[in-house]
């Protein structure tokens, strides 16, 4: 296509919406009108399915659950008045709690104000809060946000050292877990509790829980007399929980106007309920994913926001999309191994890293550019006559889009006016809807994650075996190799697991395991005190 044809194509498909401020350009995706026509019946069925989902159908059949994240910003749509009331009540309680903390009506013991918030959670209980905190936070935050989002001891130490013992005295800890039983989060909570204790503080007077009623975490918080408990509901998935208390509480405490955030999601929901495919940006996104990947995940989506504040968006989207779309079976039970791989950081930074491959290497991707029109508050410096840093950022986005297109590499561009609580809400809702519609197009359940359990179960057996091996070594005394230990435990097939576990144990002072290294390494001997 020549420049004139591309300009025509750009105008033909350009979708812009005044309420959300969204502009979506799919002109650099090489779909045909026939493609759109061929998928139109399936898209209409996807809209039907979405309407049933929003009306409260069991849209997550494997877990026998409704899927209600859209109600969180439009409670009047909830199929049950009790659900609507619970949503409204929770937003009110979140707002009131944050206001009380800010006003000093809720304080740490001794009347010390809470100045920091430590969020302890993982996956859907961390990625959204982290994205929003980074996108919308700054030096004027009401409270400074910190995160434990892993069971990495050094990672937690680093956060605690940054906070310092005295900082901890002014830190509110929010433990977030929908299930209330996630081990990483449980460990983070125990590590935090111990850190507070070392600082002479009572964790329970600093702790808040966001979790399902009656969960292990809920019971711990209740028994411990924690400051507050906020609910999570089984009809909200972890990765779509950013507009529930999971996302709202940390954001409100940080000082982010959660009403604007919810409103952005709500207006985007209205937009993405449109049944005219070409006027619905979530439907268009889903169609583009289908076009680019043949409806089978054959290409990766590289998310490139040209804005530092949106750096964590690709990480957030990775869970939202890959945990939703990456499925072995379709709804009919056939093996499909679906997926849509997502990666990316930010432009123009990534232009100095992997964009070389995007332009010239394997053509196994398409790019989702995220463009933000507003450069900064106020006027910018002219870094050379007539041009600002922001002009460069914008120019680099356009340049990369053109350079990719020239080489037959596809891209779409999502433009928002500025990074605000409202537009961040729009982006979250846009992709939530796109995921749901796309899942319908390829006939999978977007709302369960059966594959995640396998790794957790395997980790449980690994830990049990490690415990057995160390206990055996303590009884035994003499240094032994992993196969010898495995054989003695009656588990000869587990030599590798035992070797790897003891290699780790010997690198740390916790278990008294000593390794006498051999060559080859796998013949090393272990003993334990
Ligand atoms: O919120 P939680 O119940 O602690 O779950 C945290 C995360 O853990 C699991 O492994 C799931 O795969 C995620 O979808 C979830 O967001």
């Amino acid at each position: 296509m020549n420049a004139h044809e591309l300009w025509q194509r750009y105008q033909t498909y350009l979708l812009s919406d005044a309420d959300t401020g969204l502009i979506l350009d799919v002109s650099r995706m090489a779909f045909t009108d026939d493609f759109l026509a061929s998928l139109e019946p399936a898209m209409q069925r996807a809209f039907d399915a979405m309407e049933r989902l929003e009306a409260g159908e069991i849209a997550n059949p494997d877990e026998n659950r409704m899927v209600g994240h859209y109600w969180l910003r439009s409670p009047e749509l909830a199929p049950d008045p009790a659900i609507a009331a619970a949503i409204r009540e929770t937003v009110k309680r979140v707002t009131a709690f944050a206001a009380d903390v800010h006003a000093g009506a809720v304080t740490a013991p001794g009347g010390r104000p809470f100045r920091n918030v430590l969020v302890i959670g993982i996956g859907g209980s961390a990625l959204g809060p982290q994205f929003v905190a980074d996108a919308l936070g700054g030096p004027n935050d009401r409270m400074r946000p910190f995160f434990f989002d892993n069971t990495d001891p050094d990672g937690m130490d680093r956060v605690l050292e940054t906070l310092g013992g005295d900082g901890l005295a002014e830190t509110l800890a929010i433990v977030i877990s929908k299930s209330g039983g996630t081990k990483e989060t449980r460990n983070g909570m125990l590590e935090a509790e111990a850190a507070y204790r070392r600082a002479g503080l009572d964790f329970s007077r600093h702790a808040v829980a966001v979790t399902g009623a009656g969960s292990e975490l809920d019971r711990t918080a209740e028994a411990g007399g924690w400051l507050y408990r906020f609910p999570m509901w089984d009809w909200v998935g972890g990765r779509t929980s950013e507009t529930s208390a999971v996302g709202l509480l940390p954001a409100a405490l940080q000082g982010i106007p959660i009403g604007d955030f919810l409103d952005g999601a709500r207006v985007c929901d209205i937009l993405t309920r449109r049944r005219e495919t070409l006027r619905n940006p979530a439907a268009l996104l889903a169609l583009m994913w289908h076009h680019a990947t043949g409806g089978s995940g054959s290409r990766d989506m590289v998310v490139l926001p040209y804005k530092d504040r949106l750096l964590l968006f690709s990480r957030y989207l990775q869970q939202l999309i890959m945990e939703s779309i990456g499925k072995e079976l379709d709804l009919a039970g056939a093996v499909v191994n679906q997926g849509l791989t997502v990666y990316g950081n930010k432009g123009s930074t990534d232009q100095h890293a992997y964009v070389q491959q995007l332009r010239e290497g394997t053509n196994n991707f398409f790019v989702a550019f995220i463009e933000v029109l507003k450069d900064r508050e106020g006027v910018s410096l002219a870094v050379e006559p007539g041009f600002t840093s922001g002009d460069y950022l914008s120019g680099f986005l356009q340049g990369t889009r053109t350079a990719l297109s020239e080489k037959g590499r596809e891209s779409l561009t999502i433009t928002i006016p500025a990074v605000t609580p409202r537009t961040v809400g729009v982006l979250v809702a846009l992709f939530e809807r796109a995921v749901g519609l796309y899942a319908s197009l390829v006939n999978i359940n977007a709302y369960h994650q059966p594959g995640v359990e396998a790794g957790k179960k395997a980790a449980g057996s690994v830990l049990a075996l490690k415990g057995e091996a160390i206990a055996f070594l303590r009884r035994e005394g003499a240094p032994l190799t992993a196969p010898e230990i495995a054989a003695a435990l009656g588990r000869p097939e587990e030599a590798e697991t035992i070797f790897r576990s003891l290699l780790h144990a010997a690198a740390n002072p916790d278990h008294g395991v000593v390794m006498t290294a051999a060559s080859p390494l796998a013949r090393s001997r272990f003993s334990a005190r």
Side-chain angles (χ1 to χ4, degrees):
M1 270 188 205
N2 62 31
H4 176 71
E5 289 164 337
L6 283 171
W7 168 230
Q8 290 306 322
R9 184 173 170 82
Y10 177 76
Q11 295 173 79
T12 302
Y13 293 111
L14 193 66
L15 190 160
S16 70
D17 174 67
D19 284 346
T20 52
L22 260 185
I23 305 173
L24 173 62
D25 158 38
V26 295
S27 65
R28 266 43 171 193
M29 301 292 289
F31 62 90
T32 61
D33 285 343
D34 286 352
F35 165 79
L36 295 181
S38 70
L39 277 182
E40 185 56 19
M43 186 50 85
Q44 289 302 321
R45 287 196 295 278
F47 291 140
D48 291 340
M50 188 58 83
E51 280 176 15
R52 293 196 301 273
L53 175 151
E54 288 205 80
E57 188 184 74
I58 300 294
N60 178 359
D62 307 61
E63 296 178 343
N64 194 30
R65 286 176 179 171
M66 298 188 290
V67 174
H69 48 278
Y70 303 109
W71 311 328
L72 296 170
R73 45 267 187 164
S74 299
E76 71 283 1
L77 297 181
D80 173 349
I83 290 181
I87 295 169
R88 290 197 182 98
E89 179 63 22
T90 302
V91 174
K92 252 193 241 161
R93 285 173 55 200
V94 164
T95 309
F97 180 74
D100 283 350
V101 170
H102 295 159
V106 172
T107 61
R112 286 188 75 165
F114 285 122
R115 296 185 203 278
N116 311 306
V117 52
L118 172 62
V119 175
I120 304 169
I122 198 167
S125 294
L127 289 162
Q130 284 170 313
F131 162 53
V132 169
D134 195 47
L136 299 172
N140 298 324
D141 288 346
R142 298 297 304 260
M143 296 170 77
R144 288 193 307 158
F146 296 86
F147 292 89
F148 277 6
D149 70 347
N150 198 358
T151 184
D152 174 7
D154 171 63
M156 292 185 272
D157 288 348
R158 201 156 62 146
V159 172
L160 292 170
E161 278 157 23
T162 310
L163 278 165
D166 201 46
L168 220 46
E170 300 187 335
T171 300
L172 184 69
I174 309 181
V175 187
I176 307 182
S177 175
K178 175 183 170 179
S179 62
T182 304
K183 294 297 182 214
E184 291 91 333
T185 303
R186 196 263 335 238
N187 295 354
M189 178 192 76
L190 294 174
E191 295 259 1
E193 194 176 23
Y196 276 91
R197 204 180 310 120
R198 285 195 300 274
L201 302 163
D202 175 359
F203 178 67
S204 69
R205 305 317 303 150
H206 292 249
V208 172
V210 181
T211 188
S215 73
E216 188 184 320
L217 170 59
D218 196 39
R219 293 196 304 272
T220 303
E222 190 181 16
W226 291 17
L227 284 176
Y228 221 102
R229 287 178 292 146
F230 291 92
M232 247 305 257
W233 302 289
D234 71 354
W235 42 266
V236 178
R239 56 190 172 274
T240 51
S241 65
E242 185 44 32
T243 53
S244 75
V246 168
L248 298 181
L249 181 63
L253 288 164
Q254 197 181 343
I256 293 164
I258 56 169
D260 294 353
F261 174 65
L262 286 172
D263 197 53
R266 188 185 60 80
V267 290
C268 189
D269 287 342
I270 294 171
L271 175 65
T272 56
R273 280 188 196 109
R274 283 182 181 167
R275 297 192 64 121
E276 303 108 299
T277 305
L278 292 182
R279 295 184 59 230
N280 178 334
L284 263 183
L285 270 183
L287 283 176
M288 293 306 107
W289 297 352
H290 200 288
H291 154 75
T293 73
S296 68
S298 62
R299 275 166 205 266
D300 306 342
M301 177 162 75
V302 184
V303 178
L304 275 184
Y306 277 61
K307 202 70 187 166
D308 290 358
R309 286 181 179 274
L310 299 182
L311 171 71
L312 298 184
F313 194 42
S314 49
R315 221 167 13 127
Y316 165 77
L317 287 180
Q318 235 165 20
Q319 187 203 16
L320 175 63
I321 296 175
M322 295 178 72
E323 202 167 51
S324 301
I325 305 299
K327 298 291 154 70
E328 180 175 29
L329 304 178
D330 71 7
L331 283 167
V335 175
V336 287
N337 297 118
Q338 270 292 351
L340 176 59
T341 304
V342 178
Y343 66 92
N345 299 298
K346 62 173 177 168
S348 73
T349 314
D350 291 352
Q351 269 173 242
H352 301 270
Y354 58 78
V355 169
Q356 161 65 28
Q357 176 172 323
L358 299 192
R359 182 161 147 94
E360 296 188 348
T362 336
N363 190 355
N364 61 351
F365 69 93
F366 62 104
V367 172
F369 289 108
I370 318 268
E371 179 182 34
V372 179
L373 295 177
K374 181 176 172 175
D375 286 339
R376 60 150 55 106
E377 291 304 330
V379 173
S380 284
L381 172 80
V383 289
E384 62 188 63
F387 296 110
T388 65
S389 300
D391 290 328
Y392 269 92
L393 190 65
S394 165
F396 283 133
L397 187 158
Q398 282 212 57
T400 301
R401 173 175 172 272
T402 304
L404 291 175
S405 179
E406 282 167 1
K407 287 276 190 180
R409 279 108 211 276
E410 296 177 287
S411 70
L412 55 89
T413 305
I414 296 164
T415 302
I416 55 171
V419 179
T420 64
R422 201 167 188 275
T423 58
V424 169
V426 167
L427 287 176
V428 165
L430 174 68
F431 278 89
E432 285 179 351
R433 185 81 63 171
V435 162
L437 293 173
Y438 183 75
S440 282
L441 290 182
V442 299
N443 194 36
I444 55 162
N445 179 356
Y447 307 107
H448 66 167
Q449 51 286 327
V452 172
E453 293 310 312
K456 291 185 194 167
K457 281 191 192 128
S461 343
V462 168
L463 285 181
L465 191 57
K466 184 178 198 165
E468 274 183 59
I470 293 171
F472 172 75
L473 284 180
R474 284 201 189 113
R475 291 195 302 272
E476 199 55 25
L480 296 169
T481 66
E484 286 164 355
I485 300 164
L489 292 175
R491 310 279 295 278
E493 74 289 356
E494 295 288 8
E496 182 177 319
T497 306
I498 289 175
F499 175 73
R500 293 175 53 89
S501 298
L502 295 176
L503 188 63
H504 168 258
N508 290 285
D510 308 306
H511 305 295
V513 171
V514 176
M515 170 171 146
T516 311
S519 177
L521 194 67
R523 294 209 191 123
S524 299
R525 294 184 171 275
F526 298 94
S527 58
R529 271 174 272 117

